[in-house]
Amino acid sequence: MTTAFLGGYVVPVSGPPIEDGTVLVADGKIVAVGKPVDVDIPDDAETVDVSGSWLLPGFVEAHGHVGVLEEGEHWVGVDVNEMTDPNGARLRAIDGINPDDEGFRDALSGGVTTIVVKPGSGNPIGGQTVAVKAWGRTADEMVIREPVSIKSALGENPKRVYGEKDKLPSTRLGVAAVIRDAFVAAQDYRLRREHAEREREPFTRDTTLEALVRVLDGQLSWSQHSHRADDIVTAIRLSEEFGYRLVIDHGTEGHLLADLLAAKNIPVIIGPLFTSRLKVELRRRSLRNPGILARAGVKIAITTDHPVVPIHFLVHQATLAMKEGLDADTALRSITVNPAEIMGLADRVGSIAPGQDADLVIWSGDPLDVMSRAMRVFIGGREVYRFDEHTGEGVTVSPFYTESR
């Protein structure tokens, strides 16, 4: 099916805005973007009138727990942390996702179409992350890429979880030691595996070490939960010791090391930004921090850490960060192309360009204006959400099978 979006203010993010723009979509992909005279629209194409509205790519949430930490389900919907083993590298977030979590519907109402779902931060090594679309019947149908990275945590959370059990790790030293020991074991495992392959000998696989070898080989990034500046430095120390690709999650005190992070080209997924300072590690939480990092040259993405902050408030965090010094261009990039690039998804999402997935959102106005609404949301060119102006409610198309009567 071919669809032409006509007459809107098109914001590709990867390029300059286009007044009275046209976006042509076919078979779930964007095939052309430009002025009407520059886009050849087939006679049989369906049209969507975007006049008077803004057309943007769906937002990208780079660090959330939608589907694995369900809202309103109490303990039944809590599958975010397997806090019985400090090294959970073999654990996969995809195995815990419930596509019917209310958070996915909230995401659509806020223009969020892509979510990197991550295990929680109770373990030094929490498990494998997965990038999904915010709409689908099964987690497998929703997948963009799996796995994307491995989640790891430093600082207060794993120290508290295992300290309360009188187990290693109960200190920051212990947390770092668990991570270091795991990577040394993975290095040894890789050598044994290579030897077995050369000699054509049988080899017993280990799913935990297999996952960590993929990090060592550069296939997966390392998503490092770290708030305090000293924990961020430990994250850098470990990454340089083993040579893996580091992404800082949260980075609450990252602004204190902004020049160091920029020099080492380490991106920061910063947030959540609307929370109170419930933990010691959050004492320097500030909406000014994204702007400080960005001005220093750090590539940033903004996160809600849903459900810590509801995912549909993602754009509002960017707006208020802009109020506190973040420039408008970076604010928009921090919830679109930047998280897509940081998490290795930019070939499919985060901008409006030929070849990208047709994940598009029609906004009533500039999304960085808090009065603007996501009016219609399309994933893969299919409309999945619409705001009803008469009732004042959003309507999500159900992905589940219903028998016609």
Side-chain angles (χ1 to χ4, degrees), residues 2 24 36 51 137 158 254 257 259 293 305 370 376 405:
T2 302
L24 188 64
S51 300
R137 186 175 57 174
L257 305 167
D259 57 338
L293 286 166
D305 195 11
V370 295
R376 301 175 69 180
R405 294 182 183 275

Side-chain angles (χ1 to χ4, degrees), residues 158-177:
K159 175 180 171 179
R160 172 182 51 80
V161 168
Y162 288 93
E164 290 175 352
K165 300 176 182 180
D166 270 344
K167 292 178 58 176
L168 179 77
S170 62
T171 63
R172 280 182 163 80
L173 288 70
V175 174

Side-chain angles (χ1 to χ4, degrees), residues 5-10 18-21 48-56 361-367 372-373 375 389:
F5 293 80
L6 306 173
Y9 185 70
V10 178
I18 306 168
E19 292 272 7
D20 188 26
V48 177
D49 185 5
V50 196
S51 300
S53 303
W54 289 46
L55 184 65
L56 282 93
V361 182
I362 300 172
W363 287 85
S364 59
D366 183 351
S372 295
R373 287 187 182 276
M375 303 302 294
E389 295 185 79

